[in-house]
Amino acid sequence: MDNKNRYKFTFGDKSLTLTTDKDNLFMEEVERVAREKYEAIKEKLPQADNETVAILMAINTLSKQLVREIEFDKKERELEELRGKYMGDLQEKINASEVGEDY
């Protein structure tokens, strides 16, 4: 059975409890980053209500995640190309050494 952690904190004027598989140290860092992002948006848009700020935080987070996923996929394709090239070069060397053994 999975170990679930119930992490409680207050965000804005809301008391929240998250059920997670992450430890408290990790969740404290998540909370810290969330507060930083919240304050940054609130500073730029002081008139925004908490719901709007939360929506903007979520959209910003999803946007960054999507950019990272696209970059990760690109790196995986590059790695696969390099593996293919390396394996092709290795196969050529093997074939060349086998031809040399015949003589």
Side-chain angles (χ1 to χ4, degrees):
M1 182 175 220
D2 293 329
N3 276 343
K4 295 294 180 184
N5 181 23
R6 293 174 56 80
Y7 183 77
K8 295 180 182 187
F9 67 102
T10 302
F11 193 79
D13 55 359
K14 284 218 179 250
S15 293
L16 302 168
T17 301
L18 300 175
T19 302
T20 178
D21 59 351
K22 306 295 187 236
D23 63 26
N24 280 352
L25 188 61
F26 181 85
M27 292 309 299
E28 287 168 8
E29 186 65 12
V30 169
E31 181 181 356
R32 184 192 65 75
V33 170
R35 288 184 194 284
E36 280 181 9
K37 300 298 182 188
Y38 176 87
E39 292 301 326
I41 292 172
K42 214 44 179 157
E43 191 175 301
K44 290 180 182 177
L45 300 169
Q47 75 285 1
D49 62 19
N50 288 340
E51 183 180 2
T52 300
V53 173
I55 291 168
L56 290 172
M57 286 174 64
I59 290 171
N60 286 342
T61 299
L62 292 171
S63 173
K64 286 181 182 183
Q65 179 182 346
L66 182 58
V67 167
R68 287 180 179 147
E69 287 177 10
I70 290 168
E71 289 172 356
F72 182 81
D73 289 346
K74 180 181 173 190
K75 295 293 182 192
E76 281 211 320
R77 283 191 303 275
E78 290 172 2
L79 182 58
E80 213 37 58
E81 288 173 14
L82 287 171
R83 278 187 186 133
K85 182 181 178 323
Y86 175 76
M87 294 305 289
D89 291 348
L90 187 59
Q91 189 62 48
E92 284 179 22
K93 287 179 183 178
I94 291 170
N95 291 342
S97 70
E98 288 173 355
V99 169
E101 289 175 2
D102 290 340
Y103 294 105

